[in-house]
Amino acid sequence: MAQRHRPLSRNAPLARSRSLPRCWLLTDERQGAALWPALARLPRGAGIVIRHYRLDTAARRALITRIRAIARRRGLVVVLAGPAREAVRHRLDGVYQHPRHGHPRLIELATAHDRAELVAAARRGADQVLLSPVFATRSHPGARVLGPVRFGLLAQRAALPVIALGGMTSDRAKRLAALGAQGWAGIDSWGADRSSRPVRIRT
């Protein structure tokens, strides 16, 4: 059954009675201008996590405004790595790594690296959790990875939908779907030099 969440407001019509994304793009400063063609490769219904932590206030606001406009035109979901009040102020669909305190209509996207963090995310009532790193990543070189087997064991026991993150490609996403992944996410996965074809995750 498709996951559903409640609408944000009249200012965010795409949040109304919509399935949660099965694939996510996480923004990052190192993407530079490559971010824009990457957004163009996302399939309709995909999600964007706006991070860009090091931008000043004005530059971050401009980035959010531009991404939101693209997302509304193309039927994409946008969540913010920031407080719920900021997500509401920018008329976005949810929050990433932050609670939605006082804003129950926001999507809450959590992160986890182990069983304890998966349990904590479920107890907070998060809608989805990004479990990582499944494979080696450019963003965390040398970090210990879960690997497909451990990822599958954790995902299958989780009490909320698990999204695979870390070294992901569409081919790897297909493999992990059979192990319990409800979708996948990436920073570099949507670049022209990566396998970035849309993947349907069966539920």
Side-chain angles (χ1 to χ4, degrees):
M1 180 180 296
Q3 306 165 59
R4 314 298 284 188
H5 67 81
R6 291 162 287 189
L8 175 58
S9 72
R10 292 180 181 177
N11 292 322
L14 292 177
R16 192 171 289 111
S17 299
R18 172 194 54 204
S19 296
L20 290 171
R22 300 297 187 176
C23 54
W24 292 89
L25 182 152
L26 281 65
T27 77
D28 189 90
E29 282 87 350
R30 75 167 185 265
Q31 291 164 326
L35 170 62
W36 309 111
L39 292 177
R41 294 185 186 97
L42 291 174
R44 186 174 183 86
I48 305 163
V49 179
I50 299 178
R51 302 187 314 158
H52 276 73
Y53 299 112
R54 294 187 291 276
L55 291 183
D56 62 40
T57 300
R60 183 174 169 87
R61 182 168 57 246
L63 179 79
I64 291 170
T65 299
R66 184 175 177 184
I67 291 176
R68 185 186 63 213
I70 293 170
R72 295 297 181 249
R73 288 196 303 269
R74 300 196 56 244
L76 305 173
V77 176
V78 186
V79 305
L80 182 69
R85 64 181 179 277
E86 186 180 355
V88 171
R89 184 167 66 248
H90 289 293
R91 304 194 310 277
L92 302 181
D93 303 299
V95 287
Y96 171 76
Q97 291 186 319
H98 285 74
R100 56 181 159 213
H101 292 323
H103 302 282
R105 293 179 178 179
L106 291 177
I107 298 168
E108 183 176 334
L109 192 62
T111 60
H113 305 87
D114 55 34
R115 173 65 177 166
E117 292 178 350
L118 284 173
V119 171
R123 286 177 176 170
R124 286 200 311 274
D127 295 297
Q128 291 179 331
V129 59
L130 274 59
L131 179 59
S132 69
V134 187
F135 301 100
T137 71
R138 288 177 56 195
S139 56
H140 296 88
R144 182 179 179 183
V145 302
L146 295 170
V149 174
R150 179 155 176 75
F151 172 88
L153 291 173
L154 291 169
Q156 291 168 23
R157 294 186 175 98
L160 75 171
V162 174
I163 305 297
L165 173 65
M168 292 300 300
T169 65
S170 60
D171 290 336
R172 287 174 170 175
K174 291 175 184 177
R175 292 168 51 200
L176 294 178
L179 299 176
Q182 295 296 305
W184 64 292
I187 298 172
D188 303 310
S189 305
W190 301 96
D193 60 337
R194 301 294 298 271
S195 178
S196 55
R197 300 180 302 276
V199 175
R200 302 292 184 185
I201 305 292
R202 296 185 179 277
T203 58

